[in-house]
Amino acid sequence: MSGKVRNRSAANADSVPGSVSCDERILRDCHNMYTQPDSGLITIAQSVGVTLLPPRKKITVMLMGNHSAGKSSFINWYIEEHIQRTGVAIETQGFTFVTSGRKRESLTGNATLHLYPHFKPLQEFKGVSEYLGTEICTSRQKRFSLVTFVDTPGLVDGDMKYPFDVDQAILWLGDLCDLILVFFDPMGQALCKRTLNIVEMLNEKHGDRLRFYLSKADEAGGESDRQRVMMQIVQELCKRPGLNKCGFDMPTIYVPNTNKPSRCTINQTVQNTLNSLEKDCELISEAVTDTLDNDRQCSVGNRRARCKGCALGLLGFTIPLLMLAALVLGSLSKEMLDMVLGADGTESMSVYVFFTLSLFCTKATLSGKQKRQLQEKLEYVQEVVKSKKKELYEEYLRQSVGDQDMS
């Protein structure tokens, strides 16, 4: 991988220090609402036994396909820097994270896992750590500051041996990525069975994240040649039951191309983040409400238990208790008690006393301070966080619609 720093254009350099896009600000604000130490949604959720994960400030896009499908070339074009090595040979043999940062830097496997702690389980795949890296560049082209690309090894059939279980590693990464771009090379490798098998398995769990592209369309000959290649690929994909679905779409792309994938990816992720924020608010509100309702029910149950215990105690608690106390203190022998009540009577009295005592046992309830704190958290989520979410959604929509369309 190239470690050289290319000079950026003056316009791009000027945009680095303080220029924050609306989408980037919305994602950052959503993240902050989760992670604030005292009033963050994660802290509030933990207090009622709910576990939440903060939304990532960036979206993660994984690129996969056969070798020489144009994955690395696409990344270089997107960020307008030559970060990833490209060529006909298998240049990408491991997993490379490509992200935007303050300065150009290359990170090894351990540093990568420190930067992305949620990817640490990759260490469980034997051999992956040695083939894991991160390329950080200063590009902010096409809103790259909101995106992290994951470049995967080129897939081939036959005797090619990988230094790790590439199939399982890609499937695992698919669980964490927001979008999966599948590139098919029209020059003979598009029908790679390994690629098709992995795509089919990914589709079972994450069909909504998959996007298919016929890459290098400019190298596929004329229009009729491209159509024939596409038909072959689509027919092969549709042989797989999970991929044989209505409305299958596979655009043809080549470098350079429009930035349509970036717009769709980022905008959809902003919407997903805002929608998740609303769902998590509802989840916390329900958990707090349930906790307060359960506490009220326990309080009512405790009062009933005390009343029943007192009533039964007044009726018949005194004499059996005195006799049992005498037995415990030794002034009345077990034999004497058996003579008076009989063996069955003694046992019945013990059960009766135990039952009467158990009626006084109450369930733990919240203190007044704890109930006030929960009520304050509920009001904070309902009034502050939801209002902030509404403001962020309106700010996001104003990028596309006019003020006259905003209610």
Side-chain angles (χ1 to χ4, degrees):
M1 299 177 186
S2 173
K4 299 179 180 179
V5 181
R6 246 184 87 193
N7 291 329
R8 306 291 301 135
S9 65
N12 190 44
D14 293 338
S15 68
V16 172
S19 151
V20 179
S21 68
C22 178
D23 291 334
E24 190 172 3
R25 185 171 59 255
I26 290 173
L27 291 174
R28 182 191 61 195
D29 289 349
C30 288
H31 185 274
N32 290 339
M33 282 192 283
Y34 277 83
T35 57
Q36 291 175 358
D38 298 327
S39 59
L41 293 182
I42 293 179
T43 302
I44 295 175
Q46 287 176 343
S47 66
V48 289
V50 176
T51 301
L52 296 181
L53 293 175
R56 293 191 292 271
K57 296 180 183 178
K58 295 185 177 184
I59 62 173
T60 306
V61 181
M62 181 171 70
L63 286 74
M64 62 166 293
N66 56 281
H67 85 85
S68 189
K71 302 183 297 296
S72 299
S73 298
F74 175 85
I75 293 175
N76 291 340
W77 162 80
Y78 190 98
I79 65 179
E80 298 186 17
E81 290 192 21
H82 190 78
I83 294 294
Q84 292 292 83
R85 293 173 58 183
T86 60
V88 177
I90 303 178
E91 298 291 354
T92 305
Q93 296 184 342
F95 294 97
T96 305
F97 295 81
V98 183
T99 191
S100 175
R102 293 189 179 92
K103 72 172 186 175
R104 179 74 177 89
E105 187 70 72
S106 297
L107 305 180
T108 60
N110 288 334
T112 295
L113 295 177
H114 276 84
L115 179 63
Y116 302 108
H118 49 289
F119 286 109
K120 279 190 176 181
L122 273 175
Q123 291 176 313
E124 298 175 7
F125 296 93
K126 185 178 180 181
V128 170
S129 298
E130 290 77 12
Y131 291 86
L132 194 63
T134 297
E135 297 296 333
I136 304 173
C137 68
T138 59
S139 170
R140 295 177 66 87
Q141 299 300 318
K142 306 178 186 70
R143 294 189 284 184
F144 180 52
S145 58
L146 294 174
V147 182
T148 294
F149 285 115
V150 181
D151 197 3
T152 62
L155 301 174
V156 296
D157 290 329
D159 298 330
M160 173 68 182
K161 292 185 178 180
Y162 295 87
F164 50 85
D165 191 338
V166 65
D167 297 24
Q168 291 301 317
I170 291 177
L171 291 173
W172 185 87
L173 282 169
D175 292 337
L176 274 69
C177 292
D178 301 290
L179 196 67
I180 304 169
L181 306 184
V182 184
F183 286 9
F184 291 104
D185 177 13
M187 307 306 293
Q189 295 293 329
L191 302 181
C192 170
K193 290 185 178 179
R194 184 189 292 270
T195 302
L196 297 177
N197 290 339
I198 294 176
V199 167
E200 186 176 17
M201 287 185 283
L202 284 170
N203 183 71
E204 292 178 359
K205 295 173 63 178
H206 310 299
D208 58 325
R209 304 180 189 177
L210 288 170
R211 301 291 186 275
F212 301 98
Y213 296 95
L214 178 65
S215 60
K216 298 186 177 180
D218 55 333
E219 300 179 10
E223 181 63 26
S224 61
D225 295 323
R226 283 196 293 271
Q227 291 295 329
R228 185 167 57 253
V229 171
M230 285 191 63
M231 287 296 295
Q232 292 174 351
I233 297 173
V234 172
Q235 287 175 0
E236 189 64 31
L237 286 170
C238 290
K239 289 179 182 178
R240 312 288 177 121
L243 299 174
N244 188 3
K245 55 187 177 182
C246 180
F248 184 85
D249 186 28
M250 187 172 66
T252 58
I253 64 171
Y254 61 92
V255 176
N257 191 20
T258 66
N259 61 352
K260 182 177 179 181
S262 66
R263 284 201 304 268
C264 294
T265 301
I266 293 171
N267 289 352
Q268 188 63 46
T269 301
V270 172
Q271 294 177 43
N272 291 340
T273 299
L274 290 170
N275 293 338
S276 296
L277 176 61
E278 183 172 4
K279 290 178 182 178
D280 288 341
C281 287
E282 293 295 336
L283 185 64
I284 292 174
S285 298
E286 290 177 5
V288 172
T289 302
D290 289 344
T291 301
L292 292 173
D293 287 344
N294 290 336
D295 181 73
R296 281 192 287 269
Q297 292 176 6
C298 288
S299 297
V300 172
N302 290 344
R303 285 195 294 270
R304 290 175 178 173
R306 293 190 188 100
C307 291
K308 289 180 180 179
C310 290
L312 289 174
L314 291 174
L315 291 175
F317 188 81
T318 306
I319 295 177
L321 182 61
L322 290 175
M323 296 179 68
L324 187 61
L327 176 63
V328 171
L329 295 175
S331 59
L332 184 65
S333 66
K334 180 74 163 51
E335 292 76 11
M336 182 65 68
L337 194 62
D338 288 342
M339 289 176 61
V340 176
L341 298 177
D344 293 338
T346 304
E347 184 178 354
S348 300
M349 185 191 70
S350 301
V351 172
Y352 172 78
V353 172
F354 175 79
F355 174 73
T356 305
L357 290 173
S358 67
L359 292 175
F360 286 92
C361 295
T362 57
K363 296 180 181 179
T365 56
L366 299 173
S367 64
K369 180 180 179 181
Q370 289 174 322
K371 286 188 281 189
R372 285 194 302 272
Q373 289 175 340
L374 283 177
Q375 190 62 42
E376 289 172 358
K377 291 174 181 177
L378 179 61
E379 293 173 357
Y380 174 79
V381 171
Q382 294 282 5
E383 299 174 6
V384 179
V385 178
K386 283 192 172 183
S387 298
K388 179 65 175 177
K389 190 273 303 180
K390 183 179 179 181
E391 293 175 6
L392 293 176
Y393 230 131
E394 291 176 351
E395 183 179 358
Y396 168 75
L397 292 175
R398 283 195 187 96
Q399 298 177 95
S400 306
V401 301
D403 291 337
Q404 63 274 16
D405 294 321
M406 301 294 293
S407 57

